[in-house]
Amino acid sequence: MVPEGEFEMIHDVVIAGAGPNGLLLACELALAGIRPVVLERLPGRVPVQKANGLVGQVNRLLDHRGLYEPLRGAPGAPRPTPRFVFGAFPLDLHLLDENPLHTLPVRQHRIEEVLEERARDLGVTVRHGHEVTGFTQDEAGVTIGLRGPTGDEQLRTRYLVGADGGRSTVRKLAGIGFPGVTSTDPVSRIAHVLLPEDVRRTADGDFLLPGCPVPFRPFTHTRTEHGVIALAPFTPDATMVATLEWGAAPVDETVPLTLAELRASIHRVTGADLALTQARTPGTFTPRRQVGHNTRLADSYRRGRVLLVGDAAHVHAATGGPGLNLGLQDAANLGWKLAAELHGWAPPGLLDSYHRERHPVGERVFMHSQAQMALMAPGPDTTAVRALFGELLAHPDNLARIAALMAGSDVRYDVGCPHPLAGRFVPELTATTPDGPVRIAELARTARPLLIDLSGGRLPLADLAAGWKDRVDLVPADCPQPPAGALLLRPDGYVAWAVEPGRTDPDGLRRALHTWFGDARP
C-alpha cells in the first residue's frame, strides 16, 4: 500500500472502460459535480461493429440527457417502434393501444463518439492506452496499478468502477463471483455484406431469397427447422446478415470467418445459395463468429469501494438487443448515488441500493435472453412450444407484456410509495411552466432531482421541501390531464414519490425526500 499523501492527486472516481456504459457514467457524475477519470486500455477508438442500435427505455433516458437527438441525427422525441421481435416471433406492436417499446438504429461506434464528446465537454478526462493491472482498497479509497504508454504508474481514487466488459479485470481482481451458464450452442456468424441481385424485396420490404417460398422480414430473426437467419439493411451498400445454427460441426475458432463460410451457413439454414460480396461501404465488413454463448450475472455489483456496471456485471445472448438498455441504465442508477456519497449528503444505504435495484433487472434479462434462445432452437418439441406461444402472442395483453419486458418498462423499484407511478420510469408528459410548454425530458437535462408540481404551483410543496432546496429543484407546471398531482423525480428518471391530484401527502413527501436525498438542511 502506498500512503495516500504520496499521491499528487486523489481522484473521486476512476472508471475502467470507455465503452458506452463507462462514458455515460462519467457524464452522469460530471453533471452531479464530480470529475471522474476514464481509463481505456485501447490506444484509440476502434470502429469495430458491435451493437447495432438502442432498444427499450434507454432511448427515453438518453432523451432526458439531450443525447437522443445527436444519436438519431434529427430532432424529435423517441417514438414507439411499430414492429419488433421476440425469440424469432414477429411482434406487431402497432396493434397495442399503448406501445412501450422504443428503438433507435445507431451503431455502437457512433454511440461511443457522442458520449465521449459529451464527457469531454463536461470536463471528464479520458485516458486511452491505460490498462488496470491491479488494485488494493482500504477504508479511504483504492490504489490502482496501471500500464500506460510511458510504463507502469499508480492512481489513488475514492472509488473504482469496472465498466471493462464481460471479461472484466476489475471484477476478477475484486473477487466478485460471476455465476451462470455457458453453452456450446448455437454457432453464430455475422457480417455486413452486399447481397446479390437475385435477392428481391416485396412491396412490404421483406426479403425474397432465391428458392425460398417464404419471405424474410428485415431487422428481425426468422426461425427455420435448421436454424435462424436475420437480415438488416442498415445502408444501401451494407446489409447485416447473421445466422444461428445448433448442433453444427466443430469450427476452428482461430480461423477468421469468411464470406464462403457464411454463405454455406445461409444455405444450411434457408436452402438459399447467396453469392455474397464485400460491402461497398468502407469499414463495414466486420465478420464475426461466436461459438455458444455465456449468460452470467455478478453475484454482487459492489465490493467495498469497487463497483461494476454494464457487461462487467452481466453478459447474455444479444437476441433482442437488451445489452445497452440494461447497461446504460445501470450507469444512470449508479451515477447520482455515487455522487451523493461523495458530496456527503447520501442517506445510509443509498449506494447499496444500486445493487438492490439493478441486480433483479439483470436477472430478468438473464431469464428472457435464455427463453428467446430456447424458442429459436430447432426440433419438433420447440416447434410445438412455438405454436402455443404464437397463440398466446395473438392476445393483446400478452403482446403488451412481452413488449414491456423487452422495453424494460415493467421495472418497478420499491420506493415505499403506493402510487401507481412510484418506482417506475416517469411517463412522457408535456406541461406548461412559467417559461412555457416543456416536456418532462427537457426538465431532466440537468440530471438533478425534480419535484414537479403538476397543479401549476398550487400545492404547498415549497415549504414542505425547503430543507432540500440545495439538492432538489421545485418546478411548478400545469398539465391538462395530469397522471399525478405532483412527482418527485430521481435523476435516473424514476419516480420516487407521487400523489393523486388534489392531495398533498406531506408525510409521504418528507419521507421520500429523506430516503433518497438525505437529511433536511436549515
Side-chain angles (χ1 to χ4, degrees):
M1 170 59 65
V2 179
E4 188 172 298
E6 294 187 13
F7 290 88
E8 292 184 4
M9 180 181 295
I10 310 274
H11 299 284
D12 284 326
V13 181
V14 169
I15 301 168
N21 303 309
L23 290 169
L24 182 66
L25 175 61
C27 292
E28 294 293 287
L29 289 166
L31 285 168
I34 304 297
R35 292 292 179 267
V37 174
V38 181
L39 306 175
E40 171 55 54
R41 66 177 182 83
L42 296 176
R45 196 152 301 288
V46 180
V48 175
Q49 183 61 12
K50 296 179 182 177
N52 292 300
L54 296 164
V55 176
Q57 207 149 251
V58 66
N59 289 286
R60 296 197 53 229
L61 168 66
L62 294 173
D63 186 31
H64 278 216
R65 295 297 183 264
L67 291 163
Y68 179 80
E69 287 189 359
L71 289 169
R72 184 186 180 204
R79 298 186 63 83
T81 184
R83 289 179 165 186
F84 202 62
V85 62
F86 181 87
F89 280 95
L91 303 178
D92 292 317
L93 303 177
H94 61 276
L95 300 174
L96 297 176
D97 293 333
E98 295 185 10
N99 176 6
L101 188 58
H102 303 80
T103 62
L104 178 64
V106 56
R107 293 179 176 177
Q108 182 166 326
H109 181 67
R110 177 58 181 160
I111 297 171
E112 293 173 355
E113 284 181 337
V114 169
L115 288 174
E116 183 164 341
E117 181 180 356
R118 174 64 62 86
R120 291 186 185 277
D121 287 347
L122 291 169
V124 173
T125 299
V126 181
R127 299 173 61 180
H128 288 274
H130 288 78
E131 182 177 5
V132 174
T133 57
F135 62 81
T136 59
Q137 62 171 312
D138 52 49
E139 293 182 358
V142 185
T143 302
I144 306 169
L146 303 178
R147 182 178 298 119
T150 60
D152 294 341
E153 59 180 295
Q154 286 186 324
L155 288 180
R156 179 72 172 168
T157 181
R158 308 293 184 196
Y159 288 92
L160 169 64
V161 180
D164 49 345
R167 294 182 175 88
S168 171
T169 297
V170 172
R171 185 192 66 241
K172 293 173 183 176
L173 291 174
I176 296 174
F178 204 41
V181 295
T182 299
S183 171
T184 57
D185 269 333
V187 175
S188 66
R189 297 173 174 90
I190 183 171
H192 291 75
V193 301
L194 191 65
L195 296 175
E197 293 183 357
D198 56 354
V199 174
R200 295 180 294 113
R201 305 290 295 273
T202 68
D204 294 330
D206 293 344
F207 286 94
L208 291 172
L209 305 186
C212 296
V214 179
F216 295 85
R217 179 184 286 189
F219 297 102
T220 188
H221 293 89
T222 302
R223 176 185 179 267
T224 73
E225 286 299 330
H226 306 286
V228 171
I229 187 169
L231 301 105
F234 285 103
T235 72
D237 294 332
T239 296
M240 186 199 78
V241 179
T243 62
L244 299 173
E245 291 184 86
W246 282 258
V251 296
D252 185 349
E253 296 182 58
T254 65
V255 178
L257 175 68
T258 64
L259 288 182
E261 181 183 335
L262 178 61
R263 178 179 182 176
S265 179
I266 294 170
H267 181 68
R268 289 191 296 269
V269 171
T270 68
D273 187 19
L274 304 184
L276 306 175
T277 53
Q278 184 170 334
R280 283 194 293 260
T281 305
T284 57
F285 178 65
T286 53
R288 300 195 306 277
R289 182 201 306 110
Q290 180 175 325
V291 178
H293 66 89
N294 270 329
T295 305
R296 297 188 175 275
L297 184 65
D299 54 24
S300 177
Y301 285 16
R302 178 188 183 190
R303 177 151 296 177
R305 291 180 172 268
V306 178
L307 301 108
L308 305 175
V309 297
D311 289 355
H314 38 67
V315 294
H316 45 77
T319 305
L324 287 175
N325 192 24
L326 182 60
L328 291 172
Q329 290 199 76
D330 287 348
N333 187 289
L334 175 59
W336 69 276
K337 295 174 181 178
L338 186 52
E341 190 76 22
L342 289 163
H343 285 309
W345 58 256
L350 180 67
L351 192 53
D352 286 330
S353 74
Y354 167 59
H355 170 87
R356 188 168 62 250
E357 291 185 339
R358 295 305 296 170
H359 191 269
V361 183
E363 289 179 321
R364 285 191 69 73
V365 174
F366 191 117
M367 173 271 291
H368 78 64
S369 63
Q370 286 186 299
Q372 290 188 75
M373 295 302 291
L375 283 168
M376 293 191 296
D381 291 346
T382 302
T383 300
V385 172
R386 289 182 64 86
L388 175 60
F389 201 85
E391 290 182 14
L392 295 174
L393 283 179
H395 194 287
D397 288 348
N398 296 326
L399 180 61
R401 186 160 184 171
I402 292 294
L405 176 68
M406 296 303 294
S409 60
D410 59 346
V411 171
R412 186 178 188 184
Y413 300 139
D414 182 5
V415 297
C417 174
H419 192 281
L421 293 181
R424 299 191 181 278
F425 199 88
V426 65
E428 176 61 44
L429 294 173
T430 298
T432 301
T433 70
D435 297 323
V438 65
R439 294 190 298 119
I440 290 284
E442 294 165 334
L443 293 173
R445 300 284 157 83
T446 62
R448 282 176 57 84
L450 300 175
L451 180 55
I452 306 172
D453 182 353
L454 293 173
S455 73
R458 291 183 290 274
L459 296 176
L461 300 182
D463 291 339
L464 292 171
W468 291 270
K469 63 183 178 182
D470 60 319
R471 284 151 283 165
V472 180
D473 294 338
L474 176 61
V475 181
D478 262 318
C479 189
Q481 293 181 315
L487 298 170
L488 178 61
L489 193 62
R490 302 186 336 183
D492 58 357
Y494 284 81
V495 177
W497 168 88
V499 67
E500 295 294 343
R503 295 188 59 211
T504 305
D505 186 22
D507 292 339
L509 175 57
R510 290 194 187 98
R511 184 167 53 249
L513 288 165
H514 181 270
T515 297
W516 298 106
F517 309 119
D519 294 333
R521 294 175 179 171

